[in-house]
Amino acid sequence: MQKTTSAGIPAENKMGTMPVNRLIINMSLPMVISMLVQALYNVVDSVFVVRISQDALTAVSLAFPVQNLMIAVGTGTGVGINSYLSKSLGERKFKEANRSAVNGLFVILLSYFAFAVFGLFFSRAYFTSQTDIPQIIEYGTDYLFYVTVYSFGLFFAITFERLLQATGITIYSMISQTVGAVTNIILDPILIFGLFGFPRLEVAGAAIATIVGQILGMLVGLFFNLAKNKELSLSLRGFRPHLPTIRSIYKVGLPSIIMQSIGSVMTYGMNQILLMFTSTAVSVFGAYFKLQSFIFMPVFGLNNGLIPIIAYNYGARKKDRIIKTIKTGVVIAVSVMFVGLVIFQVLPELLLAMFSASEEAADMAAIGVPALRIISLSFLFAGYNIIASAAFQALGKGMHSLLVSLVRQIFVILPVAYFFAVTIGLNAVWFSFPIAEIFSVALCTFFLKKTYDTCIRDL
């Protein structure tokens, strides 16, 4: 049932009435906390895995593009659901909001099936295409099999979280993510090293801990949507796919999926460039991604909180609230990224020590210290670009986000990294990241001006 006024008219959601600064904190803080917990268990996963061997960490790093692709499909579809659902609520079209939620669950189920088939039949082929080191292949095949075949927890956990975010009750989204993350953290050492009578499963244990956490997060998210999300009805009675709704979801969601999937292509390509030097460089790159998640995840949490606010107020035609939300988001994101820049510049040795097997510590430091210091120069630019992308997605301009991501990761990072690799050397490869973010700032600014002129100015 919808909340109603005394006259029986559905009451307006807080996204259209609460003061913007307070609303951003209210919507985003739970997401920031849950994203930080998510970042923590990503790091803990690798910290335990590297205690097996450097090959184990390399295997998990090489599997990352596929995991990132799954997350891209899940979160990209979630962005489409979130944007369409929030806009429908802002327009007071509650039947369309419900239909977008149920059709979103249907398409996410199809996405899971696609990755389960890939993991079942192609996990080994994926690793043999990248390396001929037997131990890395074995570790990686085991890990990838589990995280793909049993990824239904990941896909539905993400979707249930997005439904909670879309209606403004992000505290429950935080709880569901936290349950999954804490479960993973607890199970990691138990299953990897065989504690408390459990068998020693090594890298496969890390994968199993991950999927158990995801499944528990999914179940908690389902419970909160059924028990607490009063603005939606998730009844499947008489369900049939509604193609216009699915098209509306993917109008925004597909560019977001492609945009995030490009990250998998970039990571795969970068791994191949780094393997020209040494597998330790791949481990450093994997460690960087784990570490930068502590900086980027809070900004992504802010991003997730901003999308429904902007989309709702766009549907409600509240121009001033849209503009203030975007400006405040940029200030917060750049501030967070500045803190990250300082940490990466001052403490790279300490950060890398968590990911170094004892026999490889010197090599990790030699490659990793300059890598972290150089790549982190891109952080300030990235904060602005992330919030700009959130605005594009919320306003139905997902193609702008796609083009920015495509230029940054495919047309700048990979070509520049390869050129520097063959002409200068490994340390120069890392400069491709700040160079790419500078390009993205220019492109985001151009698209923001265009989006303002076409979507916001005449509201």
Side-chain angles (χ1 to χ4, degrees):
M1 296 289 294
Q2 307 292 336
K3 294 180 180 179
T4 60
T5 64
S6 58
I9 301 170
E12 185 169 7
N13 190 286
K14 67 181 179 182
M15 289 185 286
T17 58
M18 185 179 289
V20 170
N21 289 344
R22 201 173 97 201
L23 178 62
I24 290 174
I25 295 173
N26 183 276
M27 290 286 289
S28 299
L29 186 59
M31 293 308 307
V32 169
I33 294 171
S34 65
M35 289 288 191
L36 281 172
V37 174
Q38 190 89 1
L40 176 62
Y41 94 72
N42 284 338
V43 169
V44 170
D45 210 35
S46 294
V47 167
F48 285 125
V49 164
V50 78
R51 303 304 170 217
I52 303 170
S53 71
Q54 202 72 44
D55 282 347
L57 180 60
T58 300
V60 172
S61 298
L62 290 174
F64 179 76
V66 177
Q67 287 183 285
N68 192 53
L69 186 59
M70 289 192 294
I71 294 170
V73 172
T75 57
T77 304
V79 165
I81 299 169
N82 198 331
S83 178
Y84 183 58
L85 198 160
S86 295
K87 183 172 180 290
S88 297
L89 289 176
E91 294 170 338
R92 325 294 278 171
K93 297 177 180 178
F94 301 108
K95 183 178 179 180
E96 288 188 17
N98 286 328
R99 192 161 53 203
S100 68
V102 178
N103 278 270
L105 292 172
F106 170 71
V107 295
I108 213 68
L109 177 64
L110 299 182
S111 300
Y112 157 67
F113 285 145
F115 280 98
V117 169
F118 172 83
L120 194 60
F121 295 107
F122 301 106
S123 292
R124 181 171 293 273
Y126 172 81
F127 275 90
T128 56
S129 72
Q130 299 184 81
T131 182
D132 57 0
I133 300 174
Q135 190 64 78
I136 294 177
I137 293 172
E138 291 304 316
Y139 280 144
T141 300
D142 288 346
Y143 186 85
L144 192 58
F145 173 84
Y146 282 108
V147 298
T148 52
V149 173
Y150 299 98
S151 61
F152 60 90
L154 167 70
F155 282 105
F156 283 102
I158 290 172
T159 305
F160 290 139
E161 288 162 11
R162 291 303 185 273
L163 295 180
L164 293 166
Q165 293 166 25
T167 54
I169 47 177
T170 54
I171 184 67
Y172 298 119
S173 177
M174 179 193 76
I175 294 171
S176 66
Q177 277 204 359
T178 301
V179 166
V182 171
T183 300
N184 187 313
I185 291 170
I186 293 171
L187 290 181
D188 256 336
I190 294 173
L191 298 181
I192 290 172
F193 302 115
L195 305 179
F196 307 117
F198 284 84
R200 180 185 174 94
L201 300 176
E202 298 193 338
V203 173
I208 294 171
T210 296
I211 62 177
V212 171
Q214 291 167 350
I215 292 170
L216 283 179
M218 173 194 75
L219 294 175
V220 173
L222 174 61
F223 168 77
F224 281 134
N225 271 286
L226 295 176
K228 302 293 184 180
N229 203 345
K230 302 303 183 183
E231 294 197 78
L232 291 179
S233 173
L234 296 181
S235 173
L236 298 176
R237 182 176 300 172
F239 169 75
R240 289 185 179 181
H242 189 256
L243 293 182
T245 297
I246 293 173
R247 280 196 295 268
S248 295
I249 290 171
Y250 280 118
K251 179 182 177 182
V252 173
L254 185 59
S256 181
I257 291 171
I258 297 172
M259 177 181 68
Q260 295 179 72
S261 299
I262 290 168
S264 295
V265 176
M266 183 276 291
T267 304
Y268 182 90
M270 184 64 74
N271 284 339
Q272 305 315 300
I273 292 170
L274 296 175
L275 284 170
M276 295 164 53
F277 298 96
T278 170
S279 63
T280 302
V282 175
S283 296
V284 166
F285 191 48
Y288 159 73
F289 264 103
K290 303 291 185 179
L291 291 167
Q292 60 92 29
S293 64
F294 276 109
I295 312 303
F296 279 79
M297 285 297 190
V299 179
F300 288 138
L302 174 66
N303 177 72
N304 290 337
L306 295 183
I307 287 175
I309 296 173
I310 297 171
Y312 183 98
N313 285 285
Y314 181 49
R317 301 183 65 80
K318 296 185 176 183
K319 173 182 175 179
D320 291 343
R321 291 176 66 82
I322 296 171
I323 295 172
K324 187 170 183 180
T325 299
I326 295 171
K327 288 182 176 179
T328 305
V330 169
V331 171
I332 296 172
V334 172
S335 300
V336 171
M337 287 297 193
F338 177 75
V339 174
L341 171 64
V342 172
I343 292 172
F344 272 60
Q345 293 295 318
V346 175
L347 302 173
E349 295 93 346
L350 183 62
L351 296 174
L352 287 166
M354 295 186 293
F355 299 92
S356 301
S358 56
E359 68 276 9
E360 302 284 349
D363 288 342
M364 282 284 285
I367 296 172
V369 168
L372 295 191
R373 284 179 171 155
I374 293 169
I375 298 176
S376 63
L377 297 174
S378 66
F379 285 3
L380 294 179
F381 307 113
Y384 170 81
N385 294 333
I386 290 169
I387 301 306
S389 291
F392 300 147
Q393 292 163 12
L395 296 169
K397 300 295 182 180
M399 189 60 67
H400 293 344
S401 295
L402 170 60
L403 290 174
V404 171
S405 185
L406 188 67
V407 168
R408 184 176 72 87
Q409 300 190 82
I410 303 301
F411 296 133
V412 181
I413 287 181
L414 288 182
V416 171
Y418 180 77
F419 175 76
F420 285 165
V422 298
T423 59
I424 303 176
L426 177 57
N427 283 347
V429 169
W430 313 117
F431 279 103
S432 59
F433 287 88
I435 291 172
E437 291 295 350
I438 292 171
F439 271 88
S440 298
V441 165
L443 202 53
C444 281
T445 301
F446 170 77
F447 282 139
L448 272 177
K449 175 64 166 61
K450 185 176 180 180
T451 301
Y452 175 83
D453 291 340
T454 57
C455 297
I456 300 175
R457 184 173 58 191
D458 296 327
L459 289 179

